[in-house]
């Protein structure tokens, strides 16, 4: 299959429109139609229904393969170019919302003291986007966070040739309203809270908790943003419980208590993501962030 045709197919499926895909890719609508027809002829199957424009069952199956394949191709191109590129002093660091904890913020400050001319742009994004940005060369380094057993790697999506190494682990706290019956406990066990109402957030994935602990953890509200202040406000208002790294639970936040998690043994883990790093500022920053 031609990667060029796959790109067109993925774009049409995402846009839900031949004309919108044509505008995004810089082709005429006729050219887009011809490319989709060529891909369908190659496979001998219809991939898109036309009214409305949406993937057929075969098209949905192809999408499962196409997007990772295209990401790997972009990652391969970026890896080759990165190896030949001259090191620069302007770096882009892609980080998930809770990845840059106080320890890593201090390490970043140390790196900037060691390299006074270093310019770092920090971009907050989701875990998958952080991995894709690093793999495709759109970011020099990435930081991804999540809940894991101690020393266990995070379940990161396959984004091509990329190194992921743990740079930080800290204890977790259950964030709950100050007037909650369990708010005064010295510690809490997660298995005692499986029937509580929970917030689904990027930093507290309930499917991940079910994988680690077992069934339960009903979703009370699905929050897809990255602002910790908003999460704390939602907890205080009674929308549900959540897990946060201990350093992220504001000590002075009204209406919220952070109770240490006693069992099971889970931690908030941060991993540093990067491709091949020739000697230079990016490699130096990776060394300092790794502690």
């Amino acid at each position: 299959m031609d990667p060029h045709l796959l790109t067109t197919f993925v774009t049409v499926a995402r846009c839900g429109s031949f004309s919108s895909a044509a505008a995004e890719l810089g082709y005429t609508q006729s050219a887009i139609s011809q490319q989709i027809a060529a891909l369908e002829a190659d496979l001998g199957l219809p991939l898109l229904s036309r009214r409305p424009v949406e993937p057929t069952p075969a098209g949905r199956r192809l999408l499962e393969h196409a997007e990772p394949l295209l990401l790997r191709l972009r990652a391969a191109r970026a890896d080759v170019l990165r190896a030949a590129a001259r090191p620069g002093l302007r770096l882009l660091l892609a980080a998930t919302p809770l990845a840059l904890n106080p320890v890593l913020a201090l390490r970043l400050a140390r790196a900037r003291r060691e390299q006074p001319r270093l310019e770092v742009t920090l971009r907050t994004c989701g875990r998958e986007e952080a991995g894709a940005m690093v793999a495709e060369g759109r970011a020099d380094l990435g930081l991804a966070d999540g809940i894991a057993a101690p020393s266990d790697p995070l379940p990161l999506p396959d984004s091509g040739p990329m190194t992921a190494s743990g740079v930080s682990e800290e204890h977790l706290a259950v964030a709950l309203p100050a007037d909650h019956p369990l708010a005064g406990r010295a510690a809490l066990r997660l298995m005692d809270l499986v029937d509580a109402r929970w917030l689904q957030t990027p930093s507290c994935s309930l499917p991940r908790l079910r994988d680690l602990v077992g069934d339960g953890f009903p979703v009370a509200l699905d929050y897809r943003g990255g602002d910790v202040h908003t999460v704390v406000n939602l907890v205080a208002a009674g929308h549900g419980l959540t897990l946060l790294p201990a350093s992220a639970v504001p000590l002075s936040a009204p209406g919220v208590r952070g109770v240490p998690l006693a069992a099971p043994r889970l931690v908030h883990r941060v991993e540093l993501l990067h491709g091949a790093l020739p000697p230079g500022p990016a490699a130096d920053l990776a060394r300092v962030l790794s502690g």
Side-chain angles (χ1 to χ4, degrees):
M1 285 178 288
D2 185 338
H4 180 71
L5 300 182
L6 278 178
T7 298
T8 300
F9 168 66
V10 169
T11 305
V12 174
R14 173 170 49 79
C15 293
S17 164
F18 280 70
S19 59
S20 296
E24 181 173 321
L25 295 174
Y27 294 116
T28 64
Q29 184 171 335
S30 175
I32 294 292
S33 297
Q34 291 173 15
Q35 291 173 28
I36 296 299
L39 184 58
E40 290 177 328
D42 180 29
L43 293 173
L45 291 167
L47 300 173
L48 292 167
S49 59
R50 292 336 195 233
R51 294 184 180 179
V53 176
E54 60 185 16
T56 63
R60 288 194 292 273
R61 197 64 176 268
L62 180 59
L63 279 174
E64 294 177 5
H65 297 281
E67 292 180 332
L69 282 171
L70 293 172
L71 174 56
R72 290 299 297 266
L73 286 173
R74 293 192 296 269
R77 175 183 174 84
D79 196 45
V80 172
L81 295 175
R82 188 187 295 117
R86 294 178 60 186
L89 287 169
R90 292 184 178 180
L91 302 180
L92 195 150
L93 176 62
T96 50
L98 290 176
L100 202 70
N101 58 34
V103 170
L104 290 174
L106 287 173
R107 291 179 187 172
L108 178 58
R110 174 186 152 200
R112 298 184 68 194
R113 287 195 302 271
E114 292 180 358
Q115 302 185 72
R117 296 174 58 201
L118 182 65
E119 297 181 21
V120 178
T121 297
L122 177 64
R123 175 172 172 181
T124 303
C125 56
R127 187 188 300 172
E128 289 193 10
E129 186 179 0
M133 288 180 67
V134 173
E136 296 173 4
R138 292 183 287 130
D140 300 280
L141 302 169
L143 290 171
D145 77 290
I147 296 172
S151 301
D152 277 2
L154 296 176
L156 298 170
D158 182 8
S159 300
M162 186 167 57
T163 298
S165 56
V167 293
S168 173
E169 286 188 359
E170 67 173 301
H171 297 298
L172 287 163
V174 181
L176 65 175
D179 59 358
H180 193 281
L182 302 177
R185 295 283 186 90
L188 289 170
R189 302 191 313 160
L190 206 53
M191 52 282 294
D192 294 333
L193 301 170
V194 293
D195 295 324
R197 290 161 52 83
W198 284 81
L199 292 176
Q200 165 67 38
T201 72
S203 60
C204 182
S205 166
L206 299 186
R208 174 67 171 157
L209 290 188
R210 296 182 192 113
D211 289 342
L212 293 167
V213 179
D215 293 337
F217 305 101
V219 179
L221 188 147
D222 186 358
Y223 173 64
R224 303 193 180 188
D227 181 49
V228 181
H229 184 66
T230 299
V231 172
V232 170
N233 284 342
L234 290 171
V235 171
H239 290 283
L241 312 184
T242 193
L243 287 177
L244 288 170
S247 64
V249 182
L251 298 177
S252 60
V256 175
R257 294 292 180 272
V259 180
L261 179 66
R265 292 189 62 213
L266 298 176
V267 296
H268 178 258
R269 179 177 173 88
V270 182
E271 294 189 355
L272 176 67
L273 314 177
H274 60 82
L277 293 175
D284 292 339
L285 177 58
R287 172 184 53 79
V288 176
L289 289 176
S290 298

